[in-house]
Amino acid sequence: MSKRAVIFGLDGATFTVLDHLIQHGALPTFQRVFGGGTRGILESSIPPLTPPAWTSLVTGRTPANHGIFNFLQYESKDSSFVRMVTSRAIRTETLWSMVNRHGVRACALNFVVHNPAPKIDGCCIPGWVPWRWVKTQSHPKGIIDTLRRTIPGFDVKEMAMNFSEEEKAISGTFHEDYEQWIDLHIRREKQWFSAWKHCLEHEPAGLYAIVFDGVDKLQHLCWPFLDPAYAPRQRDEKYERVRERCWDYFRLVDDFLRQTLEIVGPETHVFIASDHGFTGTHEILYINNWLEKQGYLTWAEGTPIEEDESHELGAVRPIQRRGFNFVHTRAYASFASCNGVFIPIRGERGREGVAPEDYRRVRDQLADDLLHKCAHPETREPLVTRVWTREQAFPGAEGNANAPDLTLELRDKGNVSVLRASTWYKPRQQIMGCHHPDGIFGAIGPGIRAGTQAERLRLIDIAPTVLYALGLPIPSDLEGRVATGVFSQEYRDANPVRSGEPTQPVNARDAGTGGEGDSGGEEDPQVLMRLKALGYIE
Amino acid sequence: MAVIDRDAIKADLIRILTELREDWEFSGEVTEKTGIFGDLEFESIDAVALGSAIEDHYNQQLPFAEFLTKAGERQAKDIYVGDLVNFLHENVGKR
Ligand SMILES: [Zn+2]
C-alpha cells in the first residue's frame, strides 16, 4: 500500500491549554496520540504570526525566501502601497507541489495565503477567504458543488471566515457575548470537518492537511477562561459557563482527531502542528506614541486619537502612513500584528525620511533605545525584551526588503498597538490571549517512537519530515531537516533519509515587484478605511 | 503578453462577477454601471478578493492599490464595473 500522511493543523495551539484539558480528561484522543506517539515544542517564525508561520510550515522555507511576512504588506521595497497577501505572493514551492511531482495527490483545507487556490493535483479549499469567493477560489472547479450535493447541511457561508462577525468581536461589544463567539466557531469548525471528512473518504490522496483556526480565535478572546493561571479564585456561574463552552470547543476538536485517526487507520502518519503557541497579554504599548515621546515620530495634523475598545485587544488594524508627518519622522509602526518598526529612507517610499547614509546609525540607536529606554513607567522594567534587525529576523535572501527594519518582542509577548492614543503605555483592563513562539507538535504512526518527548522542532522541519514519512526525497534547498529523532532506529535503518532535487521555482510572476510608477503614492483614506477591517484578522 | 481588447476584458470581468452570483443575493445583470459596493454589496474584503481573482485570471500582478487610491482621491462613491474595465484595459498585458 502506498504511504499516506496527515497534517492536523491547529492555529495557535499550546500545551498550556491542551495539557490542562488533558489532565481533566477532556481530550482523550490528544492524550492517546501524545502518549502513544511523540510530542514536543514546535518553534514559530519570527514574529510568531499566522501567515508567515503556516507558509513556513508548508514550504520548508523561512519568510525571507517564501516572501510572506504579514497579512498586509508593502507591495515592494519602494512602494507605499499595501496589499493583502495572496497565494501569488508565495515565492517558493509548497509541500503540495513537492508531493505532486512524485505522483502523490494532496488535499489542503483552510490554509492561509492559499487564495486563489493553487492548481495542485488534488484539492484545495483556501482559508481566510470571504464566503462569496470560497467557491471560485477553490480547486478543482466544482469541488464546492460536490460538497453541497453530498454533505447534508453543508454551508459555505457558515464555513468561511466571517469578517463582519470578527469585526464585531473586536468592537468591544463581545464582553457579554463569549458564548456566541464560541458557538460561531463551533459551527465553522463543524463545516470544515465535514469537508475534511469528505476528502478523507472520497478524495484519493497521499497527503491530507487541514487547519482548524478557531483555536486561535477562541484563545484571543477567552484566554482567562483557558489558561488555569488566570482562573479567578471565586469562580462565578458566568465564568463556569464560558469555560465549559470553551472546553466544548476543544472536545469537538478532539473528536475530529478521533474520527480522523479512525478513517485513515494506523498505517498513516498523523502530524499535529500549530503555527505558534499562545499566552496572556496584560499591557499595551502604544509604540507610535512611545516613538513620538522619544523624538522619532511626529503625527500628521489631524490624526485622531483612537480610544475605542478595539485596541484593548491588541488591535492589529494597520494605521496609514498618512497618519505620520514624514518630514519629522524617523521611525514608525504601521502593522501591529508583526510588531515591526519601519524606518523611512529618503527616496524609498516617498521623498521624506532618513538619509540613506544615516540609516545604520538611526537603526542602531533606535534598537538600543527600545531595549533600554522603553520601560514600565513605575517599575522601570524593560517592556521590550528583544529587538531583531531585518537581517537577523529574516536572514538569507534579498527577499527581505519588504520586511520591517526592526522586529520587537515584548515582555508579555503581546502585540504593540499602532494606534494614536492619549498615552504610550497602559495596563489592559482585561487579560487577552496573544501569540507565543512555542507551538505544539505531535505525531503518531508507523515507526514513530511511543511516549517520547521530541526535541524542539522548527516550522521549517515539518515539510521535510512529512516528505520523509511519505518515503519521498527531501529537496536539497529546504531549510529545515527531517525530525529523525521522532522515528525509531529500526524505522530509520529501513527508511534512510534521501536527498533530492531542489524545489522547483514558482512561476516567477510577481515576487515582490510593485506596480509601475507607484513610488510617490500614499494609501487611500477611504478605501483603506474600509480595508481597516482586514487588519484585525490575526 | 499582448494588450487585450477592452470588450474581451469586460467579458472576463463580468464572467468573474457572474460566477459569484449563484452564491449570493444580487440577481440583476452585471453591466458597466454596476457598483461593486452599492449594487453587489461587496464588503472591502470582497474587493480585495476580486483583485486576487483578476490577477489569477491574467496571471499578472496589477496595481490595484494605486487604482483604489485614485478612486479615493476623487472621492468616488463606489467602484463601478466600467471603472474596473478601464483600469484593466490600461494595465493587463503591460509589464
Ligand atoms: Zn495563527
Side-chain angles (χ1 to χ4, degrees):
Chain A
M1 204 180 82
S2 56
K3 297 186 174 196
R4 285 201 304 183
V6 166
I7 300 173
F8 193 86
L10 298 171
D11 198 298
T14 167
F15 286 120
T16 306
V17 171
L18 297 187
D19 281 344
H20 179 61
L21 269 74
I22 285 171
Q23 280 159 23
H24 287 78
L27 303 178
T29 315
F30 281 96
Q31 185 167 16
R32 181 154 60 85
V33 170
F34 295 148
T38 186
R39 59 175 275 167
I41 298 292
L42 183 56
E43 234 174 75
S44 189
S45 50
I46 300 171
L49 183 60
T50 302
W54 282 120
T55 309
S56 293
L57 184 140
V58 306
T59 61
R61 308 298 304 268
T62 52
N65 289 305
H66 63 58
I68 306 299
F69 302 97
N70 201 346
F71 283 105
L72 295 163
Q73 56 195 42
Y74 286 118
E75 285 195 327
S76 71
K77 178 168 163 286
D78 293 324
S79 173
S80 59
F81 292 115
V82 173
R83 66 162 52 218
M84 183 143 182
V85 291
T86 66
S87 55
R88 296 180 62 81
I90 301 182
R91 290 194 298 239
T92 52
E93 193 179 20
T94 60
L95 198 43
W96 332 125
S97 160
M98 293 175 212
V99 304
N100 280 177
R101 284 197 275 118
H102 296 279
V104 176
R105 298 181 87 237
C107 290
L109 303 191
N110 205 21
F111 279 83
V112 70
V113 208
H114 273 55
N115 63 299
K119 311 279 184 287
I120 57 173
D121 182 14
C123 64
C124 176
I125 306 175
W128 281 261
V129 174
W131 64 271
R132 285 186 179 92
W133 294 90
V134 170
K135 181 177 151 180
T136 54
Q137 302 213 340
S138 292
H139 171 80
K141 209 173 153 77
I143 173 122
I144 297 295
D145 285 334
T146 305
L147 297 177
R148 277 191 182 132
R149 262 199 325 274
T150 50
I151 303 170
F154 182 73
D155 182 351
V156 168
K157 204 167 178 179
E158 200 167 73
M159 181 177 84
M161 186 158 288
N162 189 327
F163 291 84
S164 46
E165 278 301 316
E166 306 241 334
E167 194 166 19
K168 262 193 250 165
I170 65 153
S171 70
T173 51
F174 79 92
H175 288 289
E176 299 306 319
D177 286 338
Y178 287 110
E179 284 157 288
Q180 237 176 302
W181 178 249
I182 302 162
D183 288 344
L184 173 82
H185 288 288
I186 287 179
R187 288 197 303 275
R188 279 194 62 216
E189 305 295 41
K190 283 181 175 169
Q191 293 288 345
W192 278 108
F193 182 73
S194 69
W196 171 244
K197 191 158 176 265
H198 172 92
C199 289
L200 291 175
E201 290 173 338
H202 303 291
E203 284 284 335
L207 174 59
Y208 297 92
I210 188 166
V211 174
F212 293 103
D213 63 271
V215 181
D216 175 278
K217 307 286 176 197
L218 245 66
Q219 290 177 160
H220 271 300
L221 294 195
C222 307
W223 188 253
F225 300 91
L226 282 162
D227 181 348
Y230 291 107
R233 231 169 262 189
Q234 299 288 329
R235 294 171 11 179
D236 59 10
E237 187 257 343
K238 186 195 157 201
Y239 179 89
E240 296 289 353
R241 214 175 53 229
V242 175
R243 194 189 75 149
E244 189 56 26
R245 206 70 191 117
C246 286
W247 284 30
D248 284 344
Y249 171 86
F250 281 92
R251 288 187 189 103
L252 181 75
V253 174
D254 187 82
D255 194 57
F256 293 165
L257 180 60
R258 180 189 64 77
Q259 293 189 53
T260 300
L261 294 172
E262 218 168 86
I263 296 168
V264 300
E267 290 309 306
T268 301
H269 284 103
V270 176
F271 298 97
I272 299 172
S274 67
D275 54 339
H276 48 75
F278 245 78
T279 187
T281 165
H282 54 82
E283 60 193 3
I284 308 174
L285 170 60
Y286 294 96
I287 187 69
N288 287 320
N289 283 77
W290 183 83
L291 290 167
E292 180 190 27
K293 180 171 83 78
Q294 298 301 124
Y296 285 98
L297 180 149
T298 301
W299 296 99
E301 225 169 285
T303 303
I305 290 177
E306 302 208 39
E307 291 292 3
D308 64 17
E309 278 289 300
S310 59
H311 58 229
E312 304 296 343
L313 306 179
V316 284
R317 296 186 304 168
I319 192 160
Q320 299 154 35
R321 277 168 52 95
R322 67 174 54 220
F324 309 111
N325 174 346
F326 279 101
V327 178
H328 303 292
T329 291
R330 291 179 297 149
Y332 68 100
S334 49
F335 313 109
S337 47
C338 67
N339 274 3
V341 175
F342 288 87
I343 296 174
I345 298 180
R346 191 176 300 159
E348 280 198 358
R349 284 195 176 102
R351 290 182 302 276
E352 313 296 348
V354 172
E357 61 272 22
D358 292 337
Y359 171 74
R360 283 291 167 144
R361 189 182 51 75
V362 171
R363 193 177 72 169
D364 290 349
Q365 182 65 54
L366 175 57
D368 198 62
D369 287 350
L370 281 161
L371 285 169
H372 299 107
K373 294 188 180 158
C374 187
H376 188 275
E378 277 139 39
T379 66
R380 306 308 306 158
E381 196 186 311
L383 300 178
V384 177
T385 43
R386 287 188 78 165
V387 176
W388 292 271
T389 64
R390 178 190 286 150
E391 306 87 82
Q392 288 166 343
F394 312 104
E398 286 297 297
N400 64 14
N402 217 356
D405 296 282
L406 294 174
T407 297
L408 319 183
E409 182 183 75
L410 305 186
R411 67 171 182 173
D412 71 349
K413 306 281 191 282
N415 283 127
V416 298
S417 173
V418 297
L419 297 178
R420 182 177 193 180
S422 52
T423 176
W424 63 273
Y425 171 87
K426 92 175 176 197
R428 287 178 189 277
Q429 288 164 8
Q430 189 160 358
I431 305 288
M432 303 299 308
C434 67
H435 298 182
H436 189 283
D438 289 352
I440 67 151
F441 170 80
I444 194 161
I448 303 273
R449 293 159 65 204
T452 51
Q453 182 80 32
E455 76 238 87
R456 279 179 86 85
L457 298 173
R458 296 164 301 164
L459 290 170
I460 50 175
D461 297 331
I462 300 300
T465 303
V466 168
L467 291 169
Y468 173 69
L470 287 168
L472 300 177
I474 316 301
S476 55
D477 55 345
L478 292 194
E479 293 166 76
R481 50 178 197 80
V482 177
T484 45
V486 311
F487 295 90
S488 68
Q489 189 62 49
E490 194 188 353
Y491 187 90
R492 280 185 281 163
D493 290 344
N495 302 276
V497 175
R498 290 187 294 141
S499 180
E501 295 291 303
T503 53
Q504 288 195 343
V506 172
N507 175 7
R509 24 198 219 191
D510 326 311
T513 56
E516 288 164 41
D518 56 3
S519 56
E522 288 292 330
E523 300 95 83
D524 152 52
Q526 282 188 333
V527 181
L528 269 191
M529 282 293 270
R530 312 183 77 151
L531 298 180
K532 250 186 174 180
L534 302 178
Y536 65 76
I537 55 182
E538 181 46 18
Chain B
M1 196 192 283
V3 174
I4 301 177
D5 172 49
R6 189 176 188 283
D7 285 342
I9 285 174
K10 182 178 156 187
D12 285 345
L13 180 61
I14 289 179
R15 187 185 47 73
I16 288 171
L17 291 168
T18 311
E19 270 178 3
L20 300 176
R21 179 183 297 174
E22 66 170 294
D23 290 33
W24 44 291
E25 311 85 81
F26 180 76
S27 56
E29 198 188 342
V30 178
T31 69
E32 294 211 26
K33 295 206 174 84
T34 304
I36 64 167
F37 295 114
D39 296 317
L40 302 187
E41 296 178 25
F42 269 26
E43 294 172 38
S44 53
I45 182 76
D46 292 306
V48 173
L50 175 63
S52 68
I54 293 172
E55 288 185 338
D56 195 47
H57 179 76
Y58 293 112
N59 193 26
Q60 180 189 347
Q61 180 165 323
L62 296 161
F64 270 102
E66 189 181 354
F67 170 69
L68 296 177
T69 302
K70 286 181 178 160
E73 275 165 6
R74 54 167 207 274
Q75 310 226 310
K77 287 200 190 69
D78 204 336
I79 292 171
Y80 297 95
V81 170
D83 303 336
L84 277 163
V85 173
N86 290 340
F87 162 74
L88 294 173
H89 187 226
E90 267 172 45
N91 289 283
V92 170
K94 198 179 88 176
R95 288 280 174 178

